Amino acid sequence: MIIILKDNADKRQLDALKRWVETQNVHVHQSEGAHQTILGLVGDTVRIDIDMIKQLEIVEDVRRIQEPFKSANRKFHPMDTVINVGGVPVGDGSLCIIAGPCSIESESQIMTVARSVKKSGASMLRGGAFKPRTSPYSFQGMRDEGIKLLLQAGKETGLPVVTEVMDLSQLDLFTDVDVIQVGARNMQNFELLKELGHCDKPILLKRGLSATYQELLMSAEYILANGNDNVILCERGVRTFENYTRNTLDISMIPAIKELSHLPVIIDPSHAAGMSRFVSPLSRAAVAAGTDGLIIEVHNDPARAKCDGPQSLTMEAFDSLTKELNKLHELIKASKIK
Ligand code: PEP
Ligand code: MN
């Protein structure tokens, strides 16, 4: 349920209303927009008398939110949410580019890639330490050693770091990580999502292989409902009947999620395409469609990568792509065709 307040609502009456709502065992979230202040009510609101609230002097309107996602809903929070990742904004209209290898393989590998992507203008460094692999015989990641190396690379380059957690038992290792990634396969690991709701770190939540927008937003809701407002949603391609590409990049996700939710949306063209030569066109499409950012796999020697080499860009290819994407982003902003 949302309560839309009149302009310049009396502060004392507003505080009294908020206190009363809290006595109904409902949590209140106040959102200050450019034109409106909204109180979002989260919890069981069935017993709250809408007509009684509507009659209050400071209230413009009261509406129930029909969708099952409440805190993630744009109606609940009309302004875009901007997430601050160690000084890097996500969702403020700038283009955030996260880059790095699929997995951390050695000190020299992660340091080489980190220095190079930093020079090319990346805003954050990615690298997997715990890898969800289809085969148990494939490289599973460097685990805690990988996290240490990633943190070292982040520290040296000044780039915030993004890495995936696969299980609750690993969370203690993520204390110094800037963004915790929840991978596509874990999008509906509800126990993990609840626990991530108890920290205040930004969470990069990837869309499941065949998850609907509503399912993705319900997973985000688990994190928000438990107290963590810092969720970045990520489209990484979904399963369709097409198997020429690894997955099918759902570009519609960008405008659709932006309509439904206030959370930032970023695109992972690498896992969508599965082929490095498609990363550039898919990235351009995402920028044109209004993405808040991209997460791109980059390797110093893709042919020898332990994971996802075929979809990884060389450092040189990433350098030209970044330049191109920044130009495109400026053009789109200037022409206001977004
Ligand atoms: C990854 O980012 O390397 C990864 C495994 O992603 P996804 O969960 O989207 O497959
Ligand atoms: Mn990968």
Side-chain angles (χ1 to χ4, degrees):
M1 181 188 283
I2 53 167
I3 303 176
I4 303 164
L5 299 171
K6 286 189 181 148
D7 278 353
N8 307 317
D10 177 73
K11 186 162 173 347
R12 278 190 17 233
Q13 290 184 44
L14 173 59
D15 289 342
L17 171 60
K18 280 165 49 180
R19 274 198 306 275
W20 177 81
V21 172
E22 299 272 7
T23 64
Q24 306 299 300
N25 286 331
V26 171
H27 180 67
V28 189
H29 180 281
Q30 186 164 333
S31 156
E32 307 277 350
H35 308 292
Q36 268 175 341
T37 299
I38 288 178
L39 297 183
L41 275 47
V42 196
D44 187 2
T45 57
V46 280
R47 271 179 296 277
I48 293 187
D49 183 348
I50 288 199
D51 293 327
M52 190 194 85
I53 302 179
K54 268 189 186 164
Q55 281 162 19
L56 297 174
E57 204 184 314
I58 56 167
V59 172
E60 175 84 40
D61 199 6
V62 186
R63 289 181 210 148
R64 289 204 184 273
I65 294 184
Q66 302 304 334
E67 295 85 2
F69 48 95
K70 310 291 179 193
S71 301
N73 205 306
R74 169 82 66 187
K75 291 174 192 152
F76 189 94
H77 188 289
M79 304 278 279
D80 287 344
T81 283
V82 180
I83 295 176
N84 181 331
V85 183
V88 175
V90 186
D92 69 336
S94 59
L95 182 67
C96 164
I97 303 184
I98 307 170
C102 177
S103 58
I104 302 142
E105 299 170 8
S106 68
E107 181 173 354
S108 68
Q109 175 246 18
I110 190 68
M111 291 311 300
T112 308
V113 179
R115 286 183 197 121
S116 172
V117 298
K118 162 84 185 184
K119 208 161 148 242
S120 301
S123 349
M124 292 186 220
L125 175 66
R126 65 150 288 152
F130 295 96
K131 294 305 306 174
R133 304 303 301 274
T134 303
S135 166
Y137 308 117
S138 303
F139 176 59
Q140 302 288 307
M142 288 183 77
R143 306 177 70 87
D144 41 352
E145 194 52 35
I147 303 255
K148 273 190 215 147
L149 295 176
L150 182 69
L151 291 173
Q152 184 188 321
K155 204 168 169 193
E156 194 198 291
T157 53
L159 292 174
V161 297
V162 184
T163 193
E164 176 170 354
V165 67
M166 279 176 58
D167 187 77
L168 276 174
S169 61
Q170 298 156 357
L171 265 179
D172 284 348
L173 297 166
F174 286 67
T175 315
D176 297 324
V177 165
D178 300 283
V179 180
I180 304 180
Q181 176 175 322
V182 175
R185 291 155 191 85
N186 257 323
M187 188 202 84
Q188 287 188 317
N189 181 340
F190 299 119
E191 287 303 315
L192 182 60
L193 300 176
K194 280 187 224 169
E195 196 55 40
L196 294 173
H198 295 137
C199 70
D200 58 1
K201 265 189 206 304
I203 309 297
L204 176 58
L205 178 62
K206 291 188 131 190
R207 181 181 182 186
L209 274 66
S210 53
T212 62
Y213 300 153
Q214 182 157 310
E215 285 163 341
L216 173 65
L217 290 171
M218 288 311 289
S219 290
E221 191 78 16
Y222 264 90
I223 303 170
L224 301 169
N226 283 284
N228 186 352
D229 291 336
N230 303 306
V231 180
I232 303 165
L233 302 170
C234 178
E235 157 67 23
R236 42 78 73 204
V238 287
R239 279 272 163 91
T240 64
F241 47 82
E242 184 52 71
N243 58 11
Y244 186 65
T245 50
R246 185 176 178 183
N247 291 289
T248 298
L249 181 65
D250 178 14
I251 283 286
S252 315
M253 196 262 198
I254 302 167
I257 292 287
K258 288 198 165 285
E259 187 171 272
L260 293 168
S261 178
H262 51 88
L263 296 171
V265 178
I266 70 163
I267 293 291
D268 175 344
S270 311
H271 290 87
M275 296 175 248
S276 58
R277 66 183 186 278
F278 287 178
V279 169
S280 166
L282 295 186
S283 302
R284 291 197 300 262
V287 171
T291 190
D292 293 303
L294 291 149
I295 177 162
I296 298 176
E297 287 187 341
V298 180
H299 199 280
N300 54 328
D301 188 358
R304 288 191 187 75
K306 290 193 175 169
C307 186
D308 286 349
Q311 68 193 35
S312 299
L313 294 188
T314 59
M315 300 185 296
E316 297 73 25
F318 176 73
D319 188 62
S320 355
L321 178 60
T322 312
K323 290 194 176 84
E324 189 187 345
L325 294 177
N326 284 327
K327 266 193 221 155
L328 179 62
H329 184 248
E330 284 309 314
L331 264 172
I332 286 172
K333 266 205 314 201
S335 63
K336 294 203 179 74
I337 55 171
K338 211 169 174 180

